[in-house]
Amino acid sequence: MTIRRGGSLTDADHQALALWAAACAEHVLPLFERIQPADQRPRQAIEATRAWVRGEAAMMATRALGGHAMGAARPLSGAARFAAYSAGQAACVAHVPEHDLGAAAYAIKAVRAAAEPGEARQVGQVERDWQRSHLPGHVRDLVIEDQERRNSICWFVFDD
């Protein structure tokens, strides 16, 4: 048991948040890979997140791969950029659990950026609902509460 998010968060809950963040990032990863098929940094960050959960990767190494994924994002724009940032945020959950919302928010921004004109809000809500449907039950309330509390610093992507 560790003090995280201003309260108690078990290691199992921390790991569940990391796996959920990895799933959110992987869901939009094709938006990056379509533009940068040879750049494996975001995929490696997602894989490192899962390896960290299995105890096969150190937190610092996982976090570093998250930084590399974000480096892949920097020269890009639009959906590809946001998808790479989502992968980077997912890997950083190993260090700070709150990065799970970054992974989710960037994934929503990615699908919004890829949407047809006039459909961004709707596809963003579909992505948000997909993410919520993949939340492990034991952390669902924590994440939903966090989304409501920190929605303003996440571009209001978690609005209904």
Side-chain angles (χ1 to χ4, degrees), residues 117-133:
E119 295 182 6
R121 184 168 175 80
Q122 179 184 0
V123 299
Q125 289 172 337
V126 169
E127 179 65 19
R128 182 209 55 211
D129 293 346
W130 179 91
Q131 292 173 358
R132 288 179 177 175
S133 75

Side-chain angles (χ1 to χ4, degrees), residues 38-139:
D39 192 339
Q40 294 296 303
R41 291 176 290 178
R43 181 166 294 283
Q44 290 167 345
I46 293 166
E47 291 170 1
T49 305
R50 292 184 175 124
W52 173 77
V53 169
R54 293 188 305 266
E56 299 168 1
M59 178 276 292
M60 291 297 286
T62 304
R63 184 181 77 169
L65 286 170
H68 294 307
M70 289 187 259
R74 285 186 193 102
L76 303 175
S77 63
R81 178 183 181 117
F82 299 137
Y85 275 135
S86 179
Q89 290 286 310
C92 290
V93 173
H95 180 244
V96 176
E98 288 84 347
H99 284 286
D100 68 327
L101 289 193
Y106 274 115
I108 293 169
K109 284 179 66 86
V111 299
R112 283 181 171 184
E116 295 295 324
E119 295 182 6
R121 184 168 175 80
Q122 179 184 0
V123 299
Q125 289 172 337
V126 169
E127 179 65 19
R128 182 209 55 211
D129 293 346
W130 179 91
Q131 292 173 358
R132 288 179 177 175
S133 75
H134 286 79
L135 272 167
H138 63 286
V139 294

Side-chain angles (χ1 to χ4, degrees), residues 17 19 25 27 32-34 48 61 84-86 90-91 93 111 115 129 137 148:
L17 293 172
L19 290 174
H27 195 236
F32 173 83
E33 292 180 331
R34 243 181 257 135
Y85 275 135
S86 179
V93 173
V111 299
D129 293 346
E148 292 169 2

